[in-house]
Amino acid sequence: MTVAVGDIVALSVAGSGQLRWVVSGFLSNPSGRREAKLVRKNMYGTYSSYQRNTEGLIPIETPVFNSGDKVWVDGNRGEYMSRDGDIARVMLAVRRRQFTGVGFIEIRPAIATVSYHLLVVENRKV
């Protein structure tokens, strides 16, 4: 079974056991084999990445977001709108930010474009 950008896969990594990753892209290695670029959030809240031959990946889930689904983008609430290739569009909700000396400022709804694989990392258990 082949995997695509945004798919959740399992991979055994020496010393860490079997971990879940999200496919962020593909490339060819010098021998001509297809490799997947993988990403996941680590325990420190930053991202870890890994590159592995696609034949060694175990497909777990192909996440699907429907128009209107509630999602998070970089910690901001929003609604999933659509996907165009590896890019997703999300309507961010109204939010407020506090600025020193000014107080709170309301930020109106806005459309954000985000890499689909990062949307999966933030909105699915990986």
Side-chain angles (χ1 to χ4, degrees):
M1 180 176 182
T2 61
V3 294
V5 171
D7 284 359
I8 298 172
V9 297
L11 175 68
S12 294
V13 179
S16 299
Q18 195 173 57
L19 299 174
R20 294 167 59 112
W21 298 81
V22 175
V23 177
S24 66
F26 298 96
L27 50 89
S28 294
N29 66 17
S31 65
R33 297 182 92 171
R34 187 174 184 211
E35 292 192 349
K37 297 186 295 181
L38 309 172
V39 67
R40 70 188 311 268
K41 269 196 176 174
N42 60 33
M43 65 183 171
Y44 304 108
T46 58
Y47 294 95
S48 295
S49 62
Y50 199 73
Q51 190 172 313
R52 183 65 174 248
N53 187 323
T54 55
E55 296 166 5
L57 303 176
I58 303 164
I60 301 290
E61 177 187 357
T62 299
V64 175
F65 296 98
N66 296 308
S67 185
D69 285 353
K70 305 294 182 201
V71 294
W72 293 90
V73 174
D74 199 25
N76 296 304
R77 289 179 299 141
E79 285 187 14
Y80 179 81
M81 295 174 63
S82 64
R83 178 179 176 186
D84 184 20
D86 296 342
I87 301 296
R89 287 180 184 74
V90 175
M91 175 64 76
L92 295 179
V94 174
R95 54 215 181 276
R96 294 171 35 146
R97 295 280 190 240
Q98 183 174 7
F99 293 94
T100 306
V102 178
F104 286 98
I105 293 179
E106 184 173 287
I107 302 171
R108 295 186 177 167
I111 296 175
T113 56
V114 61
S115 295
Y116 188 74
H117 70 276
L118 291 177
L119 188 69
V120 171
V121 168
E122 193 164 2
N123 291 280
R124 293 291 194 267
K125 288 247 183 224
V126 179

